[in-house]
């Protein structure tokens, strides 16, 4: 029975006016991604004028938003529009100012969407289709299950928490919105995905909706179903070390947040008994795993489809508040409070992710080494590394530019594919080839003065038409507080040009010194030297913002492509690359010496000397 047909619609409206403020956590909405940008000024003012900023563009929709809009054919715009994250900005602005124009805009946008975007008449199976034209139609429809979940489990909830107190919200309008929430929840219950981050988010969104609107007739069954699904999904979607099986720095928290938001909602609604006895300790474990992989500036390593501009400080603060974790408090406070973690470096044994860190300060030396299973949202980043030092990010993978889940004939698809390939990552690849999507393997030894990690990738490389069996082994040695040595061994049948790639973060100015077999950053504060042991046939090239070939680009956030230096070192394989990665506090006034005698590396810099034996 529709709510607006009930004689007591006024009573229902007044009931939720009293209840929603206590039922909906204020921090239930935390992200505006991947397309919508959080750093723009006056977003709420733009939304009042129906101006939406996505990626590098701002679109003026005029009288009302076009919820199916897909500029340049990128359907990720459509998906983001249909999540209605703009309602969060409008709700917060209304909360802070009590200016009715923000409530008026938000209520109008919700009602406009309801009237103009009906549920499509397609069978459930079509909504689970991940490939082909039917899936593209679902992305265009506004009714993909992930977007449905965002609306009823996050953005509309936050909007109603505040807009329900506006003089412009009437019982009739509220009834129309509640009818739509009911319809969308029933749809999500029947069509949600059953694996991957979509399945976790969709079912957790439905569980949150069921707790907030527990008076809806099916709410009890929805909540029981979702809790049962999510509890059984824990072992399927997370590894014992706490990392998600998608193996993505950017998507790891996306997986966790579904559980975390559901947990927080249950807590404030007095419904924590819906979880099994081990749930809190398990959730604390997977939340704690967020700590160890983060860079000193709280940003995530760019593994699989991630962006360097993604930071997790806010998420760490939420975790600390929920569980009182003293090690997280230490990292957040830069050592002023809490307890220092027992380990600075860390290895996720089930995931194959090695993090080499000198300490937990903002100035720490940091390297992330990816050598695990392929995961989800896959790109050709196996055996890639990223490096930060002295408060600056130096070496980073290229990042996610645009998703390739739109129509394949778009003119920008070739560039998007580049960012999914090994060519955009700090790894080794045959020239013109990318890794076949597959697993790597590796291990790590941590000690007080040094760390050593070694990984291998044996799945081969492809150029789209041909596959070559090239095997890559990478060893990374970390002399804590001083430098790294990276040794790459390339094996395989026949001779083929091979490229060692080093991508610098955009904020670095880089100079190539081929006569010294190195590239050096020329920053005013802190710097990095990337130096190779020289065979006679090395070729050094430095690119920045090149379109032909596509080289020297970085994506700090979705659809934001910026020039960044890329060092390409080429030789003919089978071969070996031996690289010194040497951070310098201040300007580089003198290059380090990097030599090898049999199995012993010899490094000299100013008055310091090191000898490293890597058998």
């Amino acid at each position: 029975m529709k709510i607006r047909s009930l004689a007591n619609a006024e009573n229902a409206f007044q009931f939720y006016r009293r209840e929603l403020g206590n039922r909906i956590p204020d921090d239930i909405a935390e992200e505006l991604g991947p397309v919508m940008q959080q750093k723009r000024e006056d977003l709420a003012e733009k939304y009042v004028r129906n101006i939406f900023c996505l990626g590098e563009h701002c679109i003026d929709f005029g009288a009302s938003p076009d919820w199916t809009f897909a500029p340049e054919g990128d359907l990720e715009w459509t998906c983001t529009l249909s999540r209605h994250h703009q309602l969060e900005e409008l709700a917060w602005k209304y909360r802070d100012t009590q200016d009715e124009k923000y409530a008026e805009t938000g209520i109008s946008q919700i009602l406009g969407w309801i009237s103009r975007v009906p549920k499509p008449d397609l069978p459930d199976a079509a909504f689970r289709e991940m490939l082909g034209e039917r899936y593209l139609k679902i992305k265009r429809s506004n009714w993909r299950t992930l977007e449905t979940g965002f609306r009823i489990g996050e953005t509309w909830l936050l909007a109603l928490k505040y807009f329900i107190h506006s003089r412009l919200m009437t019982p009739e309008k509220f009834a129309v919105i509640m009818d739509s929430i009911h319809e969308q929840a029933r749809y999500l219950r029947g069509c949600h995905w059953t694996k991957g981050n979509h399945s976790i988010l969709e079912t957790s969104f439905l569980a949150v909706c069921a707790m907030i609107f527990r008076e809806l007739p099916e709410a009890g069954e929805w909540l029981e179903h979702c809790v049962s699904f999510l509890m059984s999904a824990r072992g399927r979607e997370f590894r014992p070390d706490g990392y998600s099986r998608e193996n993505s720095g950017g998507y790891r928290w996306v997986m966790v947040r579904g559980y975390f938001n559901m947990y927080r909602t249950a807590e404030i609604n007095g419904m924590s008994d819906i979880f099994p006895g081990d749930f809190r300790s398990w959730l604390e474990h997977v939340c704690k795993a967020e700590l160890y992989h983060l860079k000193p500036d709280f940003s995530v390593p760019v593994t699989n489809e991630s962006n360097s501009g993604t930071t997790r400080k806010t998420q760490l603060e939420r975790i600390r508040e929920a569980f009182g974790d003293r090690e997280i408090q230490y990292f957040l406070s830069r050592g002023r409070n809490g307890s220092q973690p027992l380990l600075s470096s860390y290895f996720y044994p089930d995931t194959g992710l090695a993090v080499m860190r000198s300490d937990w300060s903002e100035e720490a030396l940091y390297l992330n080494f990816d050598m695990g299973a392929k995961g989800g949202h896959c790109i050709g980043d196996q055996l890639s590394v990223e490096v930060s030092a002295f408060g600056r990010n130096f070496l980073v993978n290229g990042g996610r530019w645009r998703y390739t889940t739109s129509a394949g004939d778009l003119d920008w698809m070739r560039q998007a594919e580049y960012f999914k390939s090994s060519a955009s990552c700090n790894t080794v690849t045959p020239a013109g080839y990318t890794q076949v999507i597959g697993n790597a393997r590796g291990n790590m030894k941590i000690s007080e003065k040094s760390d050593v990690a070694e990984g291998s990738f044996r799945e081969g490389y492809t150029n789209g038409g041909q596959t070559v069996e090239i095997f890559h082994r990478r060893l990374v040695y970390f002399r804590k507080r001083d430098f790294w040595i990276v040794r790459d061994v390339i094996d395989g049948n026949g001779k083929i040009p091979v490229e060692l790639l080093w991508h610098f973060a955009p904020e670095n100015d880089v100079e190539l010194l081929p006569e010294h077999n190195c590239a050096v950053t020329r920053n005013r504060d802190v710097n990095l030297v990337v130096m190779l042991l020289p065979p006679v046939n090395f070729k050094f090239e430095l690119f920045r913002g090149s379109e032909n070939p596509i080289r020297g680009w970085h994506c700090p956030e979705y659809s934001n492509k910026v020039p960044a230096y890329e060092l390409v070192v080429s030789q003919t394989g089978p071969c070996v690359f031996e690289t010194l990665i040497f951070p310098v506090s201040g300007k580089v006034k003198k290059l380090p010496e990097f030599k090898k005698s049999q199995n012993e590396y010899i490094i000299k810099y100013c008055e310091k000397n090191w000898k490293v034996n890597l058998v």
Side-chain angles (χ1 to χ4, degrees), residues 546-559:
S546 171
E547 293 288 359
N548 190 19
I550 302 175
R551 287 192 186 273
W553 294 99
H554 180 73
C555 297
E557 55 197 12
Y558 188 90
S559 196

Side-chain angles (χ1 to χ4, degrees), residues 34-53:
V35 178
M36 300 182 81
Q37 306 302 309
Q38 303 181 57
K39 299 174 184 178
R40 297 185 186 270
E41 298 295 328
D42 300 323
L43 275 175
E45 300 300 327
K46 289 182 171 65
Y47 293 138
V48 167
R49 304 196 307 273
N50 285 321
I51 297 173
F52 284 68
C53 298

Side-chain angles (χ1 to χ4, degrees), residues 512-526:
L512 179 62
L513 302 174
E515 68 276 15
H516 297 289
N517 305 299
C518 71
V520 182
T521 64
R522 296 300 190 188
N523 305 314
R524 293 184 177 182
D525 49 359
V526 295

